[in-house]
Amino acid sequence: MNDQSMPFFASGVDPGPSFVELLRRVAPHDLPGGTGAAGAGGSDPALFPPLTHATTVVAIRFADGVVMAGDRRATSGMAIASRRIEKVFRADDHSGVAFAGVAGTGSEMVKLFQTQLEHYEKIEGETLSFEGKANQLAQLVRGNLPAAMQGLVAVPLFAGYDDRRGRGRVFSYDVTGGRYEETDFQTNGSGGVHAKNWIKASWREGMTIDDTVDLALRALFAAADEDAATGGPDLVRRIFPTVAVIDASGYRMLADDDIERRANAQLGGREEGAGL
Amino acid sequence: MTMPFYVSPEQVMKDRADYARKGIARGRSLVALESAAGIVIVAENPSRTLFKISEIYDRIAFAGVGKYNEFEMLKIAGVRHADLKGYSYSREDVNARGLANAYAQTLGQVFTHEMKPYEVEILVAQVGATAAADELFHILYDGTVMDEERFTVLGGQADTIAQALESRYQDALSIGDAVKLGASVLGDTDQPLSPEQLEVGVLQRDAAGRAFRRIKGDELAQFLSS
């Protein structure tokens, strides 16, 4: 983009409040997959060098909002690519987005989604409805489908506080851009099924923030117990999952030492003697 | 066959400038003031929905006077410019100077090449870590850019209002005092404008991310009555 020229459009081709459409008009190479990267080296995923994958994330509704959490491991094939990756992000003041799958694709999708929400808000002078945000994300996932068919799969979770309805909401997606509203909780990623079982066994209506954060951590530890690609609490390096709480007062990440304290309190809990 | 009349370039430019100035003078003015806690922008604007003051980026705000549809279009172009730059480089690479230059280029281009100049004056404000690092770019209908200090006034009655501010402005005002001062110099005969007649935006100096917020409703009424 030329720094000195401003983007103006004739009325028929004006991108409106959509940042994705704007990119498509003026900088298509900046769109995810815009350079045709997925197809460039042939379409057989087996020919790729091992891709970096991010894994397990959870979103759980509680009495006043939602809790989102993710472990910190990324893998490349059998190797650990990162011990400190973050998979849970602020989408805007009242929502968060997390992803599992190919880390490059997922983080690009998140960045575009964040920009899209902020862009809409500034152009239109008001925020999108919660459903509108969920649909925008579905379009980004759908846009990634050709790349996903060639192995670059990343699928998000979207959750937050719907201030027009006064409650927490959780949306999950599939690789085609299918968008599904969950009633209470959802997980994603290779350890997701283990985390989900744990949540399912303990979740109840009207939980407090404290209990929900602990449940999210517990579910991630259970996933790490069973799934090699999910990282457990790293006591040596003091690395713990990232946890975000979203309620009427907005989006906030819990402080590291708070999570460490909670994680330590869970050690020696039900894993001991349970044959795990 | 009729010959077109010769009109000197000086005359063409003067006519356009007069036209633009007349359009701007019909609208109401706005002021921007540097204060201890950030940059305060106060506009006379009875509408609750058609804004003169807007957020552009993390620490940058936009304000316009004159023809609404024209400065609204410029605002949208500014948001697009900033978001594109922040997306392809980094959020820290978006700055008011670059944006002001782009606006100046656009307005200058339209002023010299189009039949009708834009009937607007705009402000690009960026809040810094200290008041000394604040930036106020005041851009005229023909692309002239002025880098202002302490405060700036846009609109038809700018000279009178600037005179009043010159004697009453102080460094390190609180946000409330800045809002009050703005409201009082915008009103005539020193009767401050009421909250219903005002639109107020502030770029908060200590904000971590997006610094822009609107001051309205009870908060605004409280500032004005204190």
Side-chain angles (χ1 to χ4, degrees):
Chain A
M1 188 187 62
N2 178 355
D3 268 7
Q4 288 299 305
S5 71
M6 300 204 89
F8 287 101
F9 301 90
S11 59
V13 292
D14 193 286
S18 167
F19 185 72
V20 178
E21 287 302 316
L22 175 63
L23 270 187
R24 192 162 288 146
R25 305 270 194 292
V26 302
H29 50 275
D30 278 346
L31 276 173
T35 46
S43 59
D44 184 356
L47 297 179
F48 285 160
L51 294 165
T52 300
H53 280 86
T55 44
T56 314
V57 290
V58 304
I60 310 173
R61 187 173 66 77
F62 67 97
D64 311 309
V66 292
V67 167
M68 299 184 87
D71 75 305
R72 306 292 294 275
R73 179 170 293 177
T75 52
S76 286
M78 299 300 286
I80 290 179
S82 171
R83 294 185 176 83
R84 293 176 192 277
I85 192 171
E86 295 194 12
K87 310 166 190 180
V88 180
F89 304 89
R90 182 181 178 283
D92 68 359
D93 275 349
H94 286 96
S95 64
V97 58
F99 74 90
V102 175
T105 309
S107 53
E108 185 93 33
M109 196 184 281
V110 166
K111 183 180 159 195
L112 187 54
F113 182 54
Q114 291 168 323
T115 309
Q116 170 79 330
L117 296 188
E118 182 185 326
H119 189 73
Y120 181 97
E121 189 183 325
K122 290 190 291 196
I123 300 270
E124 292 285 305
E126 59 186 326
T127 54
L128 266 171
S129 67
F130 202 83
E131 193 114 356
K133 294 176 204 173
N135 287 337
Q136 284 288 306
L137 185 54
Q139 283 174 24
L140 297 185
V141 180
R142 193 175 310 125
N144 188 54
L145 185 58
M149 298 294 277
Q150 296 177 321
L152 303 179
V153 179
V155 178
L157 266 183
F158 176 63
Y161 180 78
D162 184 342
D163 49 4
R164 301 184 199 178
R165 286 174 185 71
R167 62 181 167 90
R169 297 176 78 179
V170 177
F171 284 88
S172 66
Y173 296 84
D174 67 24
V175 74
T176 64
R179 188 218 76 179
Y180 313 98
E181 178 156 18
E182 309 291 341
T183 54
D184 307 317
F185 52 83
Q186 186 53 283
T187 64
N188 194 0
S190 61
V193 67
H194 306 289
K196 191 172 180 179
N197 280 334
W198 199 286
I199 298 168
K200 204 165 157 185
S202 320
W203 189 87
R204 53 193 194 284
E205 189 64 54
M207 288 173 77
T208 64
I209 292 187
D210 266 346
D211 289 350
T212 315
V213 170
D214 287 341
L215 176 59
L217 290 172
R218 172 59 81 184
L220 286 174
F221 296 164
D225 236 17
E226 303 295 329
D227 174 43
T230 303
D234 187 336
L235 302 172
V236 177
R237 300 182 187 83
R238 300 172 65 200
I239 303 169
F240 299 93
T242 46
V243 183
V245 175
I246 310 153
D247 57 17
S249 61
Y251 178 102
R252 59 188 180 279
M253 296 290 290
L254 295 196
D256 287 346
D257 48 0
D258 184 15
I259 299 171
E260 182 173 357
R261 185 182 52 73
R262 290 168 184 273
N264 282 325
Q266 293 191 358
L267 296 176
R270 280 167 71 180
E271 275 85 6
E272 264 182 21
L276 298 171
Chain B
M1 196 181 124
T2 52
M3 288 288 286
F5 287 111
Y6 172 77
V7 186
S8 72
E10 287 86 353
Q11 189 60 43
V12 174
M13 293 303 155
K14 189 180 169 300
D15 287 353
R16 284 190 190 154
D18 285 347
Y19 178 85
R21 264 193 232 113
K22 254 187 236 162
I24 294 163
R26 273 195 292 271
R28 297 167 186 179
S29 304
L30 69 79
V31 298
L33 310 133
E34 293 173 4
S35 80
I39 297 174
V40 174
I41 307 172
V42 185
E44 184 178 359
N45 182 4
S47 169
R48 296 295 89 188
T49 44
L50 304 176
F51 295 123
K52 290 183 167 181
I53 308 169
S54 307
E55 172 186 18
I56 295 275
Y57 212 65
D58 289 351
R59 302 185 75 78
I60 304 174
F62 171 97
V65 296
K67 217 159 179 253
Y68 174 78
N69 67 321
E70 291 179 351
F71 66 70
E72 175 68 12
M73 192 173 75
L74 290 168
K75 175 206 99 176
I76 290 175
V79 170
R80 286 175 176 161
H81 180 89
D83 278 348
L84 281 168
K85 197 168 175 189
Y87 185 79
S88 53
Y89 300 105
S90 141
R91 293 196 83 95
E92 334 171 6
D93 296 317
V94 179
N95 58 51
R97 189 185 41 77
L99 192 64
N101 282 334
Y103 274 131
Q105 185 128 1
T106 302
L107 287 167
Q109 199 80 3
V110 169
F111 185 76
T112 37
H113 294 286
E114 306 281 326
M115 266 296 286
K116 188 193 97 60
Y118 281 165
E119 298 157 69
V120 296
E121 270 180 46
I122 59 174
L123 167 78
V124 177
Q126 174 174 286
V127 67
T130 61
D134 285 348
E135 291 178 7
L136 298 173
F137 294 102
H138 178 172
I139 305 158
L140 302 185
Y141 53 85
D142 62 352
T144 307
V145 187
M146 291 169 290
D147 179 4
E148 311 262 20
E149 302 276 316
R150 296 155 64 224
F151 61 81
T152 185
V153 188
L154 280 69
Q157 298 81 43
D159 291 345
T160 337
I161 297 171
Q163 249 168 23
L165 270 179
E166 195 62 59
S167 59
R168 294 172 61 186
Y169 177 87
Q170 293 167 330
D171 287 330
L173 288 167
S174 72
I175 288 206
D177 288 343
V179 171
K180 221 168 147 178
L181 176 57
S184 109
V185 293
L186 285 178
D188 353 285
T189 66
D190 241 25
Q191 174 70 29
L193 294 177
S194 66
E196 295 73 38
Q197 298 165 290
L198 287 175
E199 178 190 347
V200 179
V202 56
L203 284 166
Q204 201 107 16
R205 197 180 303 290
D206 61 2
R210 291 163 67 183
F212 181 81
R213 85 186 167 85
R214 295 188 185 281
I215 295 179
K216 53 190 177 185
D218 291 346
E219 190 185 11
L220 178 56
Q222 214 164 16
F223 280 148
L224 294 179
S225 64
S226 63

